[in-house]
Amino acid sequence: SRFISFGAVFPWPWGRRKIERLNNLRSRGAKAVKVHPEFQFIAADHPHQLKLFDWCAENGVPVLAHCGYTGAEPAWLRAKAEPDRFRPALRNFPKLKLLLAHTGLSKRAATLAVARDFPAQVWLDISGQSAPDLKMILDNYDRDRICFGSDWPFYPLAVALAGALVATESCPDYRVNLFYN
């Protein structure tokens, strides 16, 4: 009961079978959908991905989306996760609730710009960010819309926790919201 289950589908080709799969995941307890434009090789603004976002918006299913990149990936993969590629979904589906993972990693500024342009729809996950960058994110976005994320097993949980604790030294009362609420 303490875990919130997410589901995933490869959105291409979009159709009845994808919708059936999503409904099946929901019937088994999945509360949200995870998309990863790089690992799934499909950009956030691809027509089939947009159909998935539309379905999620219409069915009240939040989306956790990998956003941005570290720079170690091939350029053709990086392009699929550019923060601005989420704008069409946010613009076209006003009921879409989107959690942008990693606050865009190396694309923090662009991700913050997208989040500020769609404040009712976007939350930020801070996994993979350094303590100074976490502090910058906390200082530049609505803290009630920032979520702690670990990105485990790719990024050590202890490092993520330590960075978040350092970034919140000046606001220790906020930690309950960040880590729990």
Side-chain angles (χ1 to χ4, degrees), residues 90-109:
L90 291 162
R91 191 172 29 255
N92 292 329
F93 314 119
K95 293 190 279 185
L96 180 64
K97 302 298 181 200
L98 187 61
L99 174 62
L100 294 176
H102 319 294
T103 310
L105 295 167
S106 63
K107 302 296 286 188
R108 284 175 299 284

Side-chain angles (χ1 to χ4, degrees), residues 11-27:
W12 186 86
W14 184 257
R16 179 185 53 78
R17 292 185 68 207
K18 302 298 176 172
I19 294 169
E20 288 172 1
R21 175 76 176 141
L22 287 163
N23 285 325
N24 181 270
L25 290 167
R26 287 177 72 196
S27 72

Side-chain angles (χ1 to χ4, degrees), residues 78-131:
R78 282 183 236 153
K80 296 185 180 309
E82 285 284 344
D84 284 335
R85 295 190 91 159
F86 290 94
R87 287 180 181 278
L90 291 162
R91 191 172 29 255
N92 292 329
F93 314 119
K95 293 190 279 185
L96 180 64
K97 302 298 181 200
L98 187 61
L99 174 62
L100 294 176
H102 319 294
T103 310
L105 295 167
S106 63
K107 302 296 286 188
R108 284 175 299 284
T111 304
L112 282 165
V114 170
R116 281 190 212 103
D117 288 346
F118 300 92
Q121 294 175 264
V122 175
W123 286 259
L124 300 175
D125 156 281
I126 58 171
S127 61
Q129 293 289 347
S130 68

Side-chain angles (χ1 to χ4, degrees), residues 163-176:
L165 290 170
V166 168
T168 57
E169 281 180 329
S170 65
C171 52
D173 294 342
Y174 171 67
R175 290 174 176 161
V176 172

